[in-house]
Coordinates of all heavy atoms in Angstrom, one line a residue:
F11 N 39.0 117.4 265.6 CA 38.3 118.7 265.9 C 38.5 119.5 264.6 O 39.6 120.0 264.3 CB 39.1 119.4 267.0 CG 38.6 120.7 267.4 CD1 37.6 120.9 268.4 CD2 39.2 121.9 266.9 CE1 37.2 122.2 268.8 CE2 38.8 123.1 267.3 CZ 37.8 123.3 268.2
G12 N 37.4 119.8 263.9 CA 37.4 120.5 262.7 C 37.0 122.0 263.0 O 35.9 122.2 263.4
M52 N 34.4 116.6 264.1 CA 33.5 117.5 264.8 C 33.8 118.9 264.3 O 34.9 119.3 264.1 CB 33.8 117.3 266.3 CG 33.1 118.3 267.2 SD 34.0 119.8 267.3 CE 33.3 120.6 268.8
L53 N 32.7 119.7 264.1 CA 32.9 121.0 263.6 C 32.5 122.0 264.7 O 31.3 122.1 265.1 CB 32.0 121.2 262.3 CG 32.2 120.2 261.2 CD1 31.2 120.5 260.1 CD2 33.6 120.2 260.7
E54 N 33.5 122.7 265.2 CA 33.2 123.6 266.3 C 32.5 124.9 265.7 O 32.5 125.1 264.5 CB 34.5 124.0 267.0 CG 35.5 124.9 266.2 CD 35.3 126.4 266.4 OE1 35.0 126.8 267.5 OE2 35.5 127.1 265.4
D55 N 32.0 125.7 266.6 CA 31.3 126.9 266.2 C 31.2 128.0 267.3 O 31.2 127.6 268.5 CB 29.9 126.7 265.6 CG 29.5 127.8 264.7 OD1 30.3 128.6 264.2 OD2 28.2 128.0 264.6
S56 N 31.2 129.2 266.9 CA 30.8 130.3 267.8 C 30.2 131.4 266.9 O 30.2 131.2 265.6 CB 32.0 130.9 268.5 OG 32.9 131.3 267.6
L57 N 29.6 132.4 267.5 CA 28.7 133.3 266.7 C 29.1 134.7 266.8 O 28.2 135.6 267.1 CB 27.2 133.0 267.0 CG 26.7 131.6 266.6 CD1 25.6 131.1 267.5 CD2 26.2 131.7 265.1
Y76 N 39.7 131.9 265.5 CA 38.3 131.7 265.7 C 37.4 132.5 264.7 O 36.2 132.3 264.5 CB 37.8 132.1 267.1 CG 38.3 131.1 268.1 CD1 39.4 131.4 268.9 CD2 37.7 129.9 268.3 CE1 39.8 130.5 269.9 CE2 38.1 129.0 269.2 CZ 39.2 129.3 270.0 OH 39.6 128.4 270.9
K79 N 35.1 132.4 260.1 CA 34.8 131.0 260.0 C 33.5 130.8 259.2 O 32.8 131.7 258.8 CB 34.6 130.5 261.4 CG 33.4 131.0 262.1 CD 33.3 130.6 263.6 CE 34.2 129.7 264.2 NZ 34.3 129.8 265.7
A100 N 28.1 118.5 264.2 CA 28.1 120.0 264.0 C 27.7 120.6 265.4 O 26.8 120.1 266.1 CB 27.1 120.3 262.9
T101 N 28.3 121.7 265.6 CA 28.0 122.5 266.9 C 26.8 123.4 266.6 O 26.7 124.1 265.6 CB 29.2 123.3 267.2 OG1 30.3 122.4 267.5 CG2 29.0 124.2 268.5
A102 N 25.9 123.4 267.6 CA 24.8 124.4 267.5 C 24.3 124.8 268.9 O 24.3 123.9 269.8 CB 23.6 123.8 266.7
S103 N 24.0 126.0 269.1 CA 23.8 126.5 270.5 C 22.4 126.5 270.9 O 21.5 127.0 270.2 CB 24.3 128.0 270.5 OG 24.0 128.6 271.7
N130 N 26.8 118.7 268.5 CA 27.6 119.2 269.7 C 26.8 120.2 270.4 O 26.6 121.4 269.9 CB 28.9 119.7 269.2 CG 29.8 120.2 270.4 OD1 29.7 119.7 271.5 ND2 30.6 121.2 270.1
V131 N 26.2 119.9 271.5 CA 25.3 120.8 272.2 C 26.1 121.8 273.1 O 26.8 121.4 274.0 CB 24.4 120.0 273.2 CG1 23.4 120.9 273.9 CG2 23.7 118.8 272.5
V132 N 26.0 123.0 272.7 CA 26.7 124.0 273.4 C 25.8 125.1 273.9 O 24.7 125.3 273.3 CB 27.9 124.7 272.6 CG1 28.9 123.7 272.2 CG2 27.4 125.5 271.4
T133 N 26.1 125.7 275.0 CA 25.2 126.8 275.5 C 25.8 128.2 275.2 O 25.2 129.2 275.5 CB 25.1 126.7 277.1 OG1 26.4 126.9 277.6 CG2 24.6 125.3 277.5
S134 N 26.9 128.2 274.5 CA 27.6 129.4 274.1 C 28.2 130.1 275.3 O 27.8 130.0 276.4 CB 26.8 130.4 273.3 OG 26.4 129.8 272.1
S135 N 29.3 130.9 275.0 CA 30.1 131.4 276.2 C 30.4 132.9 276.0 O 31.2 133.4 276.8 CB 31.4 130.7 276.2 OG 31.2 129.3 276.0
E136 N 29.7 133.6 275.1 CA 30.1 135.0 274.9 C 29.0 135.9 274.8 O 28.0 135.8 274.1 CB 30.9 135.0 273.5 CG 31.8 133.9 273.2 CD 31.2 132.7 272.5 OE1 30.0 132.8 272.1 OE2 31.8 131.6 272.5
H151 N 25.8 131.2 283.7 CA 26.3 129.9 283.3 C 25.4 128.7 283.6 O 24.9 128.0 282.8 CB 27.7 129.7 284.1 CG 28.3 128.4 283.8 ND1 28.1 127.3 284.6 CD2 29.2 128.0 282.9 CE1 28.8 126.3 284.2 NE2 29.5 126.7 283.1
D152 N 24.9 128.6 284.9 CA 24.1 127.4 285.3 C 22.7 127.6 284.7 O 22.0 126.6 284.4 CB 24.0 127.3 286.8 CG 25.3 126.7 287.3 OD1 26.3 126.6 286.6 OD2 25.4 126.3 288.5
R154 N 22.1 128.8 281.8 CA 22.2 128.3 280.4 C 22.0 126.8 280.3 O 21.4 126.3 279.4 CB 23.5 128.7 279.8 CG 23.7 130.2 279.6 CD 24.7 130.6 278.6 NE 26.1 130.0 278.8 CZ 27.0 130.5 279.6 NH1 26.7 131.6 280.3 NH2 28.2 130.0 279.7
Y155 N 22.6 126.1 281.3 CA 22.4 124.6 281.3 C 21.0 124.2 281.6 O 20.5 123.3 281.0 CB 23.4 124.0 282.3 CG 24.8 123.8 281.7 CD1 25.9 124.4 282.2 CD2 25.0 122.9 280.7 CE1 27.2 124.2 281.7 CE2 26.3 122.6 280.1 CZ 27.4 123.3 280.7 OH 28.6 123.1 280.1
Q222 N 28.8 116.5 273.8 CA 28.8 117.6 274.8 C 30.3 117.8 275.3 O 31.1 116.9 275.2 CB 27.9 117.3 275.9 CG 26.9 118.5 276.2 CD 27.6 119.5 277.1 OE1 28.3 119.2 278.1 NE2 27.4 120.8 276.8
A223 N 30.5 118.9 275.9 CA 31.9 119.2 276.4 C 31.9 119.9 277.8 O 32.8 120.6 278.1 CB 32.7 120.0 275.4
G224 N 30.9 119.6 278.6 CA 30.8 120.3 279.9 C 31.9 119.8 280.8 O 32.2 118.6 280.8
S225 N 32.5 120.7 281.6 CA 33.5 120.3 282.5 C 33.3 120.8 283.9 O 33.8 120.3 284.9 CB 34.9 120.6 282.0 OG 35.0 122.0 281.8
S226 N 32.4 121.8 284.1 CA 32.0 122.3 285.4 C 31.1 121.3 286.0 O 30.6 120.4 285.3 CB 31.3 123.7 285.3 OG 30.1 123.4 284.5
P227 N 30.8 121.4 287.3 CA 29.9 120.4 287.9 C 28.6 120.4 287.2 O 28.0 119.3 286.9 CB 29.8 120.9 289.4 CG 31.1 121.6 289.6 CD 31.5 122.2 288.3
R228 N 28.0 121.6 286.9 CA 26.7 121.6 286.2 C 26.8 121.0 284.8 O 25.9 120.3 284.3 CB 26.2 123.1 286.2 CG 24.8 123.2 285.6 CD 23.8 122.6 286.5 NE 22.5 122.5 286.0 CZ 22.0 121.6 285.1 NH1 22.8 120.6 284.7 NH2 20.8 121.6 284.6
G229 N 27.9 121.4 284.1 CA 28.2 120.8 282.8 C 28.3 119.3 282.8 O 27.8 118.6 281.9
R230 N 29.0 118.8 283.8 CA 29.2 117.3 283.8 C 27.8 116.6 284.0 O 27.6 115.6 283.5 CB 30.1 117.0 285.0 CG 31.6 117.4 284.7 CD 32.4 117.0 285.9 NE 33.8 117.5 285.7 CZ 34.9 116.9 286.2 NH1 34.7 115.7 286.9 NH2 36.1 117.4 286.0
L240 N 31.6 112.7 274.7 CA 32.0 113.9 275.4 C 33.4 114.3 274.9 O 34.3 113.4 274.7 CB 32.2 113.6 276.9 CG 31.1 114.2 277.7 CD1 29.9 113.2 277.7 CD2 31.5 114.3 279.2
L241 N 33.7 115.6 274.8 CA 35.0 116.1 274.4 C 35.5 116.8 275.7 O 34.8 117.6 276.3 CB 34.8 117.1 273.3 CG 33.9 116.7 272.2 CD1 33.7 117.9 271.2 CD2 34.4 115.5 271.5
C242 N 36.8 116.6 276.0 CA 37.3 117.2 277.2 C 38.8 117.4 277.1 O 39.5 116.7 276.3 CB 36.9 116.4 278.4 SG 37.5 114.7 278.3
I243 N 39.3 118.3 278.0 CA 40.8 118.6 278.0 C 41.3 118.6 279.4 O 42.0 119.5 279.8 CB 41.1 119.9 277.3 CG1 40.1 120.2 276.2 CG2 42.5 120.0 276.9 CD1 40.4 121.6 275.5
P244 N 41.0 117.6 280.3 CA 41.6 117.6 281.6 C 43.1 117.4 281.4 O 43.6 116.7 280.5 CB 41.0 116.3 282.3 CG 40.3 115.5 281.2 CD 40.2 116.4 280.0
Y253 N 38.1 112.6 285.4 CA 37.0 113.1 284.6 C 36.1 111.9 284.1 O 34.9 111.9 284.3 CB 37.5 113.9 283.4 CG 36.4 114.5 282.6 CD1 35.9 115.7 282.9 CD2 35.9 113.9 281.4 CE1 34.9 116.3 282.1 CE2 34.9 114.4 280.7 CZ 34.4 115.7 281.0 OH 33.4 116.2 280.3
F274 N 36.2 111.5 274.8 CA 37.4 111.8 273.9 C 38.2 112.9 274.5 O 37.8 114.0 274.9 CB 36.9 112.2 272.6 CG 36.2 111.1 271.8 CD1 34.8 110.8 272.0 CD2 36.9 110.3 270.9 CE1 34.2 109.8 271.3 CE2 36.3 109.3 270.2 CZ 35.0 109.0 270.4
F275 N 39.5 112.5 274.7 CA 40.5 113.5 275.3 C 41.2 114.2 274.2 O 41.7 113.6 273.2 CB 41.5 112.7 276.2 CG 40.8 112.0 277.3 CD1 40.5 110.7 277.2 CD2 40.4 112.7 278.4 CE1 39.8 110.0 278.3 CE2 39.8 112.1 279.5 CZ 39.5 110.7 279.4
V276 N 41.3 115.5 274.3 CA 41.9 116.3 273.3 C 43.5 116.1 273.3 O 44.1 116.2 274.4 CB 41.6 117.8 273.5 CG1 42.5 118.7 272.6 CG2 40.1 118.1 273.1
T313 N 36.8 132.3 274.0 CA 36.0 131.3 274.6 C 35.6 131.6 276.1 O 34.8 130.9 276.6 CB 36.8 129.9 274.6 OG1 38.0 130.1 275.4 CG2 37.2 129.5 273.2
N334 N 32.1 133.8 282.9 CA 30.7 133.3 282.7 C 30.7 132.3 281.4 O 29.7 131.9 281.0 CB 29.7 134.4 282.5 CG 28.3 134.0 282.4 OD1 27.9 133.0 283.0 ND2 27.4 134.7 281.7
G335 N 32.0 132.1 280.9 CA 32.1 131.3 279.7 C 32.5 129.9 280.1 O 31.8 129.2 280.9
H336 N 33.6 129.3 279.6 CA 34.0 128.0 279.9 C 34.6 127.8 281.3 O 35.8 127.9 281.5 CB 35.1 127.5 278.9 CG 34.7 127.5 277.5 ND1 35.5 127.0 276.5 CD2 33.6 127.9 276.9 CE1 34.9 127.1 275.3 NE2 33.7 127.7 275.5
Q337 N 33.7 127.6 282.2 CA 34.1 127.7 283.7 C 35.0 126.6 284.1 O 36.0 126.8 284.7 CB 32.8 127.7 284.5 CG 32.4 129.1 284.9 CD 31.2 129.2 285.7 OE1 30.7 128.2 286.3 NE2 30.5 130.3 285.6
G338 N 34.6 125.4 283.7 CA 35.4 124.2 284.2 C 36.8 124.3 283.6 O 37.8 124.0 284.3
M339 N 36.9 124.7 282.4 CA 38.2 124.8 281.8 C 39.1 125.9 282.5 O 40.3 125.7 282.8 CB 38.1 125.2 280.3 CG 38.6 124.2 279.3 SD 38.5 124.9 277.7 CE 36.9 124.2 277.1
F340 N 38.5 127.0 282.8 CA 39.2 128.1 283.4 C 39.7 127.7 284.8 O 40.8 128.0 285.2 CB 38.4 129.4 283.4 CG 39.2 130.6 283.9 CD1 40.4 131.0 283.2 CD2 38.8 131.4 285.0 CE1 41.1 132.0 283.7 CE2 39.5 132.5 285.4 CZ 40.7 132.8 284.7
D341 N 38.8 127.1 285.5 CA 39.2 126.6 286.9 C 40.3 125.6 286.8 O 41.2 125.6 287.6 CB 38.0 125.9 287.6 CG 36.9 127.0 287.9 OD1 37.2 128.2 287.9 OD2 35.7 126.6 288.2
V361 N 46.9 123.4 273.7 CA 45.6 123.0 274.3 C 45.5 121.4 274.1 O 45.3 121.0 273.0 CB 44.5 123.7 273.6 CG1 43.1 123.2 274.0 CG2 44.6 125.2 273.8
M390 N 40.6 113.0 270.7 CA 40.2 113.9 269.6 C 41.4 114.8 269.3 O 42.0 115.4 270.2 CB 39.0 114.7 270.0 CG 38.6 115.6 268.8 SD 37.1 116.5 269.1 CE 37.7 117.8 270.2
L392 N 43.3 117.9 268.0 CA 42.9 119.4 267.8 C 44.2 120.1 267.3 O 45.3 119.9 268.0 CB 42.4 119.9 269.1 CG 42.0 121.4 269.1 CD1 40.9 121.6 270.2 CD2 43.2 122.3 269.5
Ligands
LIG1 C1 37.1 120.1 272.9 C2 36.0 121.1 273.2 C3 35.3 121.7 272.1 C4 34.4 122.7 272.3 N1 33.7 123.2 271.2 C5 32.8 124.2 271.4 C6 32.2 124.9 270.3 O1 32.4 124.5 269.2 N2 31.4 125.9 270.6 C7 31.1 126.4 271.9 O2 30.4 127.3 272.0 N3 31.7 125.8 272.9 C8 32.5 124.7 272.7 N4 33.1 124.1 273.8 C9 32.8 124.6 275.2 C10 31.9 123.6 275.9 O3 30.6 123.5 275.2 C11 31.7 124.1 277.3 O4 31.0 125.3 277.3 C12 33.0 124.2 278.0 O5 33.7 123.0 277.9 C13 32.8 124.7 279.4 O6 32.0 123.8 280.1 P1 31.6 124.3 281.5 O7 31.0 125.6 281.4 O8 30.6 123.2 282.0 O9 32.8 124.3 282.3 C14 34.1 123.1 273.6 C15 34.8 122.6 274.7 C16 35.7 121.6 274.5 C17 36.5 121.0 275.6

Side-chain angles (χ1 to χ4, degrees):
F11 178 89
M52 176 274 198
L53 307 176
E54 68 92 38
D55 198 25
S56 59
L57 292 151
Y76 288 104
K79 68 185 357 160
T101 300
S103 172
N130 180 29
V131 183
V132 300
T133 64
S134 297
S135 317
E136 316 89 12
H151 178 269
D152 285 12
R154 294 202 302 279
Y155 276 116
Q222 229 279 318
S225 57
S226 63
R228 186 65 189 84
R230 290 179 185 212
L240 258 79
L241 316 174
C242 58
I243 326 180
Y253 184 84
F274 291 85
F275 299 98
V276 168
T313 65
N334 189 29
H336 298 187
Q337 265 176 23
M339 243 186 262
F340 188 56
D341 291 344
V361 176
M390 181 174 76
L392 180 151

